[in-house]
Amino acid sequence: MPNIDLILGADPSRRRSVRTEPTQRRSSQRLDALLDAAAEIVDESGFERLTTQMVAERAGASIGTVYRYFPDRVAVLYALRERSVRRYRERVADDMEGIELESWWTVVETALEACATMYRDEPGFTVVHAAQRELAEDDIEPEFAHRMARLIEAEFGDESDRAELRFRLGVGMEIGDALISRAFERSPEGDERYLAEAKRLVHDYLAEHLGSVLAAADAA
């Protein structure tokens, strides 16, 4: 079984935008209801039009309840994005639990397919593409690229330049995410040609720039 803890791990940014961290189940459910309402509005109208008043009305809550958790609309969007990112990582981990990671490409392909699934199944997931990526601590590369690199290293014993691996994985995932996002702009179910091109381009990019490293990992 793959070491999925490397994908999940600790998330220091989780709910950092929430003004009051819920400590009871009822409060946690109330917060999720507010974020569910925000997600519906984002899907219907776009994140640019979301307001705290709209969230309150959609959730059937008072505006005071919204402000208890969020100082403004920007904080609502950040919190929604943080939840979406966490759920995406959980989806990747769940998908990896059910398969054998035969090569580095299995790891990357699973992450790309999970991203497409989240666009289909997770309300408001478009906010993930709309904001800046979380960066790894003490680095300029995306944090998820670090998680992917650590998993590939753990599964296939890669001893290559870790900084180069993180950089190339970061670029590859950006390419994939941009095309997957575009696929769902073109079709609610995801334009299949764009989704296929996302996989092809990411595979070819990584194979070209990390060819010897990833070939060694495949052979391990």
Side-chain angles (χ1 to χ4, degrees):
M1 179 181 296
N3 189 348
I4 60 172
D5 286 342
L6 295 174
I7 293 296
L8 296 173
D11 189 355
S13 69
R14 182 179 177 185
R15 286 183 172 166
R16 62 188 173 194
S17 300
V18 178
R19 172 177 278 171
T20 302
E21 190 74 26
T23 58
Q24 298 180 348
R25 180 180 179 184
R26 183 176 179 182
S27 295
S28 181
Q29 290 175 336
R30 186 180 298 118
L31 175 59
D32 277 334
L34 295 176
L35 293 179
D36 289 343
E40 292 177 3
I41 296 167
V42 166
D43 283 347
E44 292 172 6
S45 306
F47 65 88
E48 300 93 343
R49 298 187 60 188
L50 181 138
T51 67
T52 52
Q53 185 62 46
M54 292 169 68
V55 172
E57 292 175 358
R58 179 65 62 94
S62 68
I63 190 66
T65 298
V66 177
Y67 285 133
R68 176 185 174 188
Y69 295 102
F70 308 107
D72 51 38
R73 64 178 295 276
V74 174
V76 175
L77 289 169
Y78 274 125
L80 178 60
R81 185 178 188 278
E82 288 161 9
R83 187 179 74 166
S84 296
V85 168
R86 172 172 54 84
R87 290 181 174 180
Y88 167 66
R89 292 171 183 162
E90 291 170 351
R91 174 63 69 103
V92 173
D94 287 345
D95 290 350
M96 286 184 179
E97 275 193 310
I99 62 174
E100 180 179 352
L101 297 183
E102 298 177 348
S103 70
W104 64 270
W105 176 240
T106 310
V107 174
V108 177
E109 184 178 35
T110 300
L112 293 172
E113 290 178 347
C115 182
T117 299
M118 293 296 286
Y119 271 100
R120 293 190 186 98
D121 298 346
E122 179 70 15
F125 192 69
T126 54
V127 298
V128 171
H129 185 71
Q132 290 183 331
R133 305 292 184 266
E134 293 90 354
L135 300 182
E137 188 175 357
D138 299 325
D139 199 355
I140 60 172
E141 302 303 335
E143 198 220 348
F144 193 69
H146 277 241
R147 294 171 185 257
M148 295 283 285
R150 290 198 301 269
L151 181 59
I152 290 174
E153 291 164 0
E155 291 296 316
F156 305 108
D158 174 33
E159 298 296 336
S160 65
D161 183 338
R162 294 183 177 183
E164 179 71 3
L165 180 59
R166 292 194 298 265
F167 170 71
R168 296 301 178 181
L169 284 171
V171 173
M173 297 307 291
E174 288 292 332
I175 293 170
D177 182 61
L179 289 173
I180 291 170
S181 176
R182 180 61 176 148
F184 285 90
E185 290 176 3
R186 291 171 63 90
S187 168
E189 291 302 311
D191 186 295
E192 291 298 333
R193 294 183 67 187
Y194 268 76
L195 294 177
E197 282 299 284
K199 285 186 180 182
R200 185 185 68 81
L201 290 172
V202 172
H203 178 278
D204 291 353
Y205 170 81
L206 292 176
E208 176 184 355
H209 291 283
L210 294 172
S212 58
V213 171
L214 297 177
D218 281 342

